[in-house]
Amino acid sequence: MEQNTESNAIMEMETAPTLLETTGPISALENESIYIFREVAAQFERPVLLFSGGKDSITLVRLAQKAFWPAKIPFPLMHIDTGHNFPETIAFRDKLVANLGLELIVRNVQDSIDAGKVKEESGKYSSRNALQTTTLLDAIEEFKFDACIGGARRDEEKARAKERIFSVRDDFGQWDERNQRPELFDMLNGQIELGQNVRVFPISNWTELDVWSYIQAEEIAIPSIYFAHKRKVFLRDGLIWSHSEHVYQEEDEEVLERMVRFRTVGDMSCTAAVFSEATDIDGVVDEIRNSTISERGARIDDKRSEAAMEKRKQQGYF
């Protein structure tokens, strides 16, 4: 899919979405996710969909459309903006919400830094990714959200494999994996105490390949950054880093122009690219199907420690 087709593909999302006619695994996953979305609407008063502009959250938007059609999605989208996002992702985000007539709430990590609530990191592996936690928790409190819907999948990282579909957070926004409820399919318990909220994961049972296969089958528009393109990069620690003002770079680290794409689109300072020739969705699906490296292998912040993700989740990170 070429970049200039993005707008048309987004506009097509306004038309009546139809359930997949097949009876295969993807259709079953779609049905499960739609059920979860409807349970959220039935059990919670102020849900919100956490939206990054990445493939997983874009897939959530399509599933939410199907869950509530012909009505519009009955809750806002919210993006916790680090200020160091890929420009292609932000442009796509704004175009999507405008074309679909959705409400978008944006809260900025820079505001948390300016208020002295978090401290900007510096040095070789500095990133704003972990700083999102404070901004997210403040936003949840500001809007009194009781359910935050996100695109985490069990196959991404081992800490996320411990999550329930309805994952309870305490009144400090923290996650305790030992204090989660038993959860049986079709019996999602949304009852929470005053001050608590729930993180909801409608695609928890999907894999990265499932998401890409769904995007392919539904012909869903995604940011051009997911497809192979020439980009200025530099190499460090066996990873491909973006050449950007937001990414620390040593003077002796040579800037190269290479054909790359991104498997995940988090903060620029912690998201590595991969060498690729996959310029369309078919090429991406084939590449993922044959990959021997996990998606999170391109997330530099996960390499800080073996338990980096779990510690961030315990502090309130998504």
Side-chain angles (χ1 to χ4, degrees):
M1 183 182 298
E2 297 180 0
Q3 185 173 359
N4 61 8
T5 66
E6 282 183 7
S7 182
N8 290 337
I10 294 172
M11 290 295 288
E12 288 172 2
M13 292 179 73
E14 294 186 76
T15 62
T18 58
L19 298 182
L20 289 176
E21 296 179 357
T22 63
T23 57
I26 297 298
S27 178
L29 289 170
E30 180 189 71
N31 290 337
E32 179 184 79
S33 298
I34 288 172
Y35 168 80
I36 293 166
F37 268 113
R38 290 172 177 168
E39 284 296 302
V40 170
Q43 296 193 46
F44 297 96
E45 295 182 2
R46 295 186 62 81
V48 64
L49 195 157
L50 302 178
F51 188 80
S52 67
K55 66 184 185 306
D56 296 320
S57 56
I58 292 168
T59 296
L60 289 180
V61 170
R62 171 56 61 87
L63 292 165
Q65 279 187 292
K66 292 193 176 190
F68 303 110
W69 187 268
K72 286 193 174 182
I73 297 172
F75 37 73
L77 277 54
M78 182 167 72
H79 183 205
I80 303 302
D81 190 343
T82 66
H84 292 174
N85 294 285
F86 292 97
E88 298 95 324
T89 307
I90 298 301
F92 184 94
R93 177 200 72 185
D94 293 343
K95 190 182 298 182
L96 177 70
V97 298
N99 286 340
L100 298 186
L102 302 177
E103 178 187 357
L104 174 67
I105 298 168
V106 179
R107 288 297 177 267
N108 298 288
V109 170
Q110 185 63 53
D111 292 337
S112 299
I113 295 171
D114 293 343
K117 293 182 177 182
V118 294
K119 184 178 180 180
E120 182 87 81
E121 296 181 359
S122 60
K124 191 173 182 180
Y125 298 102
S126 58
S127 170
R128 286 189 173 184
N129 205 45
L131 306 187
Q132 294 178 88
T133 300
T134 296
T135 312
L136 172 61
L137 294 179
D138 285 349
I140 292 172
E141 175 62 25
E142 177 185 354
F143 293 98
K144 307 300 180 186
F145 291 129
D146 54 0
C148 300
I149 306 162
R153 307 185 319 270
R154 296 186 192 277
D155 72 320
E156 286 183 278
E157 203 275 342
K158 59 187 179 182
R160 286 182 167 171
K162 298 178 181 180
E163 290 278 23
R164 304 296 193 268
I165 291 174
F166 279 12
S167 183
V168 179
R169 299 300 195 269
D170 65 20
D171 51 359
F172 295 102
Q174 297 175 331
W175 173 70
D176 181 356
E177 74 279 11
R178 296 168 298 181
N179 194 32
Q180 298 297 316
R181 304 160 177 159
E183 189 170 70
L184 302 175
F185 179 68
D186 284 354
M187 296 180 63
L188 299 174
N189 182 358
Q191 294 188 13
I192 54 176
E193 302 294 334
L194 183 65
Q196 291 181 331
N197 64 80
V198 169
R199 308 292 168 84
V200 181
F201 305 113
I203 60 172
S204 181
N205 288 330
W206 298 46
T207 65
E208 182 188 12
L209 182 58
D210 290 332
V211 170
W212 280 114
S213 298
Y214 190 70
I215 290 170
Q216 182 184 40
E218 292 281 297
E219 299 182 348
I220 300 173
I222 55 174
S224 58
I225 196 170
Y226 279 115
F227 301 111
H229 57 287
K230 283 190 176 181
R231 195 179 196 91
K232 290 184 178 180
V233 297
F234 65 97
L235 307 181
R236 179 197 295 158
D237 301 335
L239 297 172
I240 307 166
W241 302 64
S242 291
H243 173 63
S244 165
E245 62 179 338
H246 301 312
V247 181
Y248 179 90
Q249 185 173 348
E250 301 280 1
E251 290 184 3
D252 61 349
E253 291 176 323
E254 182 183 1
V255 177
L256 310 168
E257 189 172 68
R258 294 290 185 269
M259 283 288 287
V260 299
R261 72 175 196 87
F262 292 83
R263 288 176 68 178
T264 179
V265 291
D267 188 281
M268 290 183 72
S269 60
C270 65
T271 306
V274 295
F275 292 123
S276 176
E277 298 295 329
T279 57
D280 59 23
I281 187 64
D282 294 336
V284 169
V285 171
D286 287 342
E287 188 176 275
I288 296 301
R289 184 176 286 115
N290 296 313
S291 177
T292 58
I293 301 173
S294 73
E295 176 186 7
R296 299 296 295 194
R299 291 300 294 267
I300 299 157
D301 53 329
D302 285 352
K303 301 181 184 299
R304 294 189 177 198
S305 74
E306 186 71 15
M309 172 66 80
E310 186 153 344
K311 288 179 179 177
R312 281 157 47 209
K313 286 172 66 65
Q314 289 169 348
Q315 294 166 356
Y317 180 77
F318 168 71

